[in-house]
């Protein structure tokens, strides 16, 4: 099964588990919120790794199709957090 086939995913951070609705918005929010404090792992309910992060940035993703769908939602949120969404004047 692909990551998008599941109704929910499980996010792991700081030794805790969190059920995440399997929408691109919810997964992006989880990465940006929980990733501010820790590296994350997101798995399927049957314990298959979907992705892991280095903070708010994806390190590895097992499902490339899922990654292609997630990035357009995730990147603007990351840019807002790290400040790269602003134009700088010289």
């Amino acid at each position: 099964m692909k990551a998008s086939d599941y109704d929910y995913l499980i996010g792991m951070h700081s030794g805790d588990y969190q059920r995440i609705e399997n929408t691109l918005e919810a997964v992006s929010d989880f990465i940006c919120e929980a990733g501010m404090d820790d590296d994350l792992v997101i798995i399927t309910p049957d314990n298959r790794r979907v992705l892991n992060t280095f903070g708010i940035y994806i390190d590895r993703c097992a499902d490339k199709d899922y990654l292609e769908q997630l990035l357009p939602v995730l990147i603007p949120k990351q840019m807002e957090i790290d400040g790269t969404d602003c134009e700088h004047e010289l």
Side-chain angles (χ1 to χ4, degrees):
M1 290 182 79
K2 295 199 158 269
S4 57
D5 294 337
Y6 294 87
D7 293 332
Y8 69 93
L9 299 172
I10 300 167
M12 300 185 299
H13 64 97
S14 304
D16 292 328
Y17 295 86
Q18 180 176 334
R19 182 179 169 137
I20 309 165
E21 181 183 355
N22 193 6
T23 66
L24 300 174
E25 190 73 27
V27 171
S28 295
D29 287 345
F30 173 76
I31 291 170
C32 288
E33 292 168 12
M36 293 293 291
D37 299 321
D38 201 0
D39 297 341
L40 313 171
V41 175
I42 297 178
I43 61 172
T44 62
D46 56 356
N47 205 31
R48 295 180 186 178
R49 188 177 292 232
V50 176
L51 62 84
N52 66 288
T53 73
F54 182 73
I56 64 170
Y57 303 103
I58 293 175
D59 182 36
R60 295 189 179 186
C61 183
D63 184 339
K64 299 306 176 197
D65 293 331
Y66 187 76
L67 181 62
E68 283 182 22
Q69 295 171 6
L70 181 62
L71 288 177
V73 178
L74 177 61
I75 290 172
K77 294 173 188 270
Q78 292 170 324
M79 291 174 69
E80 188 174 319
I81 291 169
D82 67 16
T84 56
D85 67 332
C86 346
E87 293 185 25
H88 299 282
E89 292 184 25
L90 298 177

